[in-house]
Amino acid sequence: MVENRSLGSRAFDIFNLVFLLLMTLLCLVPIWYCLMIALSDKAAVQAGNVFFYPIGFNLYSFQVILSEAKFFRAIFVSFERVILGSAFTMLALVLAAYPLSKSGKLFPGRNLLMWLFVFCMLFNGGLIPWFITLKTYNLIDNIWGLVLCGGVPIFNLILIMNFVKNLPEELEEAAKIDGSGPWRYLFSILLPLLKPVLATVVLFTIVGYWNDFFQGMVLSTREESYPLQTYIQQLVVSTNLQQMASMSLEQMNRLSKLNNDSLNAAKIFVAMIPVLIIYPFLQRYFVKGITLGSVKG
């Protein structure tokens, strides 16, 4: 069957295609630019001649990164934070979303709890009370301080809760008739059905933990406690004098062939790689997870 489409409909499709291509380029150009800066010669970078392709191709910046123990220490802290934080966040969200998906008749305190969650999402006590609270609980320079802060994102909780509410009630009734209790229903029946929205929320959580630098800047007083993004942020805004003082002669020789822009661009590019690897595996769940989770039940 040949579909007859109007001229306006075709023009709209062409506009959408061009617009999306431009948006894609806007997202890809900074990544490509970072890579080209990292691969280019020091003089070309300082002269501002590098954009679409590397000039004076070399791998000195990546060699310097691979020889830095502090950089790998920061990567380890970031991976530790992502793994612990993702596990904690997903467990907390699932355990909270399941009872909150029930009606007010089945769960009398449901509406009050939802108002409290939404209130906490919109308002907070401010930076100083937040810091004093964490210091009181000895969470400064502690990986759990980086994990627990923001560990229960309310927006993601609402996504999962609405996804559960869109499932047929007869499913749980049938499970109860077969002798299933609430815990078995949650972990054996409900969780496999939540795979699209859980995959979406996992990606949000991983990207959020990985990209955040502010909490590491406030909650870490020692460089050994910095997650990767905080470590890079400190390098980008600092003069690197302290870092250079701790380098070996071989590292100094390599660094003399670079400038800060090349080195920082290489670190930023390396920091993107884990998210770029994970994203294609979880992207296919986005449409279903976001759409069904956003529908009000």
Side-chain angles (χ1 to χ4, degrees):
M1 178 180 174
V2 179
E3 183 182 359
N4 293 323
R5 304 180 60 191
S6 65
L7 180 62
S9 175
R10 293 180 180 177
F12 181 72
D13 287 346
I14 293 173
F15 172 78
N16 276 341
L17 181 62
V18 173
F19 178 75
L20 290 175
L21 284 174
L22 288 175
M23 293 299 293
T24 304
L25 284 176
L26 285 176
C27 295
L28 292 178
V29 164
I31 299 174
W32 180 256
Y33 181 69
C34 273
L35 181 60
M36 294 303 102
I37 291 288
L39 296 175
S40 296
D41 182 66
K42 177 180 179 179
V45 174
Q46 287 177 333
N49 296 328
V50 180
F51 194 74
F52 289 111
Y53 53 89
I55 298 177
F57 178 85
N58 66 76
L59 297 173
Y60 296 140
S61 54
F62 293 99
Q63 289 176 351
V64 170
I65 289 176
L66 293 177
S67 64
E68 283 186 14
K70 292 179 181 178
F71 185 76
F72 285 101
R73 173 64 189 171
I75 287 181
F76 174 77
V77 173
S78 280
F79 273 114
E80 188 180 15
R81 182 189 191 189
V82 166
I83 293 171
L84 292 175
S86 299
F88 169 77
T89 297
M90 297 312 297
L91 182 63
L93 290 180
V94 169
L95 292 179
Y98 175 50
L100 290 173
S101 66
K102 305 295 181 185
S103 65
K105 292 181 181 178
L106 294 175
F107 184 13
R110 184 251 184 202
N111 292 336
L112 175 62
L113 284 174
M114 276 309 302
W115 276 111
L116 289 174
F117 279 130
V118 173
F119 181 84
C120 293
M121 181 176 68
L122 299 176
F123 305 99
N124 61 68
L127 180 61
I128 295 176
W130 170 72
F131 179 79
I132 292 174
T133 302
L134 290 170
K135 189 175 182 181
T136 304
Y137 287 106
N138 294 320
L139 292 176
I140 306 299
D141 287 326
N142 189 322
I143 187 63
W144 287 106
L146 300 174
V147 168
L148 296 177
C149 290
V152 186
I154 307 304
F155 175 77
N156 294 341
L157 171 65
I158 295 173
L159 273 183
I160 299 176
M161 185 187 71
N162 285 335
F163 196 99
V164 175
K165 290 172 74 175
N166 284 316
L167 296 176
E169 295 180 1
E170 292 78 7
L171 187 67
E172 186 169 2
E173 293 174 359
K176 287 181 179 176
I177 292 173
D178 290 339
S180 173
W183 290 104
R184 186 174 180 184
Y185 171 75
L186 173 61
F187 289 105
S188 299
I189 299 174
L190 193 58
L191 278 187
L193 298 175
L194 297 180
K195 190 165 64 173
V197 71
L198 292 183
T200 304
V201 172
V202 163
L203 184 56
F204 287 167
T205 305
I206 290 173
V207 173
Y209 277 123
W210 186 263
N211 286 340
D212 178 75
F213 71 91
F214 180 75
Q215 291 182 1
M217 198 167 62
V218 176
L219 300 177
S220 303
T221 59
R222 294 181 290 112
E223 201 170 68
E224 292 76 16
S225 304
Y226 285 167
L228 182 60
Q229 303 301 338
T230 305
Y231 175 72
I232 291 176
Q233 190 270 344
Q234 294 292 319
L235 289 177
V236 171
V237 301
S238 69
T239 58
N240 284 338
L241 292 178
Q242 290 182 347
Q243 184 197 15
M244 290 174 65
S246 63
M247 285 183 174
S248 65
L249 183 60
E250 184 181 356
Q251 287 175 316
M252 291 291 291
N253 288 332
R254 288 178 185 156
L255 193 61
S256 65
K257 301 173 183 176
L258 300 169
N259 63 3
N260 284 341
D261 291 338
S262 297
L263 191 58
N264 293 334
K267 290 173 179 174
I268 292 170
F269 183 80
V270 171
M272 296 179 200
I273 292 177
V275 175
L276 293 177
I277 293 174
I278 293 172
Y279 184 80
F281 294 101
L282 299 178
Q283 183 271 340
R284 60 196 176 104
Y285 295 108
F286 258 31
V287 175
K288 190 175 180 180
I290 289 291
T291 303
L292 294 181
S294 302
V295 176
K296 183 180 179 181

